[in-house]
Amino acid sequence: MSDSPWFVSRPTSSRAPYLVYCFPHAGGNARSFLSWQQHLAADAELVGVCAPGRGLRLDEPSPAGIAELAEGAARAITAAADRPFLLFGHSFGAVLAFETARRLRELPLLRHLVASGCAAPRLLPSERVRQTAKLRGQEFTEAVAFFGGLPPEVLAEPELQDLLLPGLRADFHLVSGYRYQPGEPLPIGISLVNGREDPHVGPAELRHWEHESVLPLRYHWADGGHFYFGPDPAPAVDLLRSLIRADSSAPGAREEHVELI
């Protein structure tokens, strides 16, 4: 795998035939996906996408907006991708993966986009996200707790919040500044995977994704809330594996048909 600062991955004993680029949620760490590698086994190499100003790149300037971030990710993927790949993003990461896919639309190696826990881009940012991005301190912490994913000890300890939440605040600021620009539908399929109990994203927020692909959407529902994969990554990993194996049966070709999941 490329030694680009954009990517983190785990060494594999053999070269996998497929790549999966994973974009983390707001405040998330690209390394959090690496535990999924064991479930994908030899089907694919999983690569976490690490943005400037986050994780191991904390000393780099943060991007001014999602468009700038997507441009950088697309350039890095174009330079590194040497086999078929798909993009997976959760929540904020799904918006970034979508905008990156737009910039990679002419690259034949791009095969699919998986958007997890994310309303259609044309509906973003939501009013809740806009208002949350304006908050500071404990008010911000309590507001983001609505989405889930914050450990109880972080909610209870201001010192931990000061240490762990700056990246989350920065990502909420990026999302609140996002402005969807209409464009041609992607020439690849889009799969949506979401928690049934997600209080922020439901069927009404998902259906507008249909405007973003020339192919019918694939819907996949999992038990749980916004971070449905926290207790068990199987819903996301099983979907990734099924897409990879279906595409691998027709190497070198874009998708020509889909089935609803």
Side-chain angles (χ1 to χ4, degrees), residues 91-92 117-119 123-130 132 146-148 172 175 194-206 225-226:
S91 198
F92 162 75
C118 186
L123 302 181
L124 301 176
S126 68
E127 182 62 24
R128 181 180 290 274
V129 167
R130 284 194 292 266
T132 299
F146 166 82
F147 300 94
F172 262 80
V175 177
N194 297 270
R196 293 186 179 90
E197 290 79 45
D198 189 333
H200 189 56
V201 182
E205 289 77 29
L206 297 176
H226 190 60

Side-chain angles (χ1 to χ4, degrees), residues 35-100:
S35 63
W36 294 8
Q37 181 65 68
Q38 62 182 321
H39 304 288
L40 289 174
D43 286 326
E45 179 181 353
L46 191 144
V47 182
V49 179
C50 184
R54 309 291 186 272
L56 296 175
R57 308 179 69 187
L58 195 57
D59 58 343
E60 298 182 40
S62 295
I66 288 180
E68 179 184 335
L69 192 49
E71 291 284 353
R75 285 194 299 269
I77 291 173
T78 299
D82 56 0
R83 59 201 115 152
F85 67 90
L86 62 79
L87 307 181
F88 172 93
H90 179 69
S91 198
F92 162 75
V95 183
L96 179 54
F98 165 70
E99 288 294 343
T100 301

Side-chain angles (χ1 to χ4, degrees), residues 50-250:
C50 184
R54 309 291 186 272
L56 296 175
R57 308 179 69 187
L58 195 57
D59 58 343
E60 298 182 40
S62 295
I66 288 180
E68 179 184 335
L69 192 49
E71 291 284 353
R75 285 194 299 269
I77 291 173
T78 299
D82 56 0
R83 59 201 115 152
F85 67 90
L86 62 79
L87 307 181
F88 172 93
H90 179 69
S91 198
F92 162 75
V95 183
L96 179 54
F98 165 70
E99 288 294 343
T100 301
R102 281 180 146 185
R103 290 154 174 80
L104 297 173
R105 60 180 300 125
E106 301 302 327
L107 195 63
L109 291 175
L110 172 61
R111 300 299 174 79
H112 204 85
L113 169 65
V114 179
S116 169
C118 186
R122 64 182 57 211
L123 302 181
L124 301 176
S126 68
E127 182 62 24
R128 181 180 290 274
V129 167
R130 284 194 292 266
Q131 294 304 317
T132 299
K134 297 177 183 178
L135 301 176
R136 295 293 181 270
Q138 188 65 26
E139 286 187 331
F140 173 82
T141 304
E142 293 173 357
V144 297
F146 166 82
F147 300 94
L150 286 182
E153 58 270 23
V154 174
L155 295 174
E157 295 292 340
E159 293 81 4
L160 285 177
Q161 295 169 25
D162 293 340
L163 178 65
L164 300 177
L165 298 188
L168 180 58
R169 294 189 186 96
D171 286 343
F172 262 80
H173 179 73
L174 285 178
V175 177
S176 69
Y178 176 69
R179 297 297 179 266
Y180 171 83
Q181 299 295 325
E184 291 295 317
L186 293 171
I188 57 171
I190 297 177
S191 291
L192 307 177
V193 55
N194 297 270
R196 293 186 179 90
E197 290 79 45
D198 189 333
H200 189 56
V201 182
E205 289 77 29
L206 297 176
R207 64 183 181 86
H208 292 283
W209 274 102
E210 67 188 14
H211 302 290
E212 309 304 341
S213 173
V214 298
L215 299 171
L217 295 177
R218 301 182 180 191
Y219 292 89
H220 187 80
W221 294 96
D223 292 335
H226 190 60
F227 289 95
Y228 62 89
F229 53 80
D232 181 5
V237 174
D238 289 349
L239 175 59
L240 293 173
R241 186 187 300 109
S242 68
L243 292 169
I244 291 164
R245 291 182 176 179
D247 184 61
S248 297
S249 66

Side-chain angles (χ1 to χ4, degrees), residues 8-10 24 28-35 48-49 56:
V8 294
S9 61
R10 286 183 174 173
N29 190 320
R31 290 187 174 276
S32 65
F33 293 110
L34 299 188
S35 63
V49 179
L56 296 175

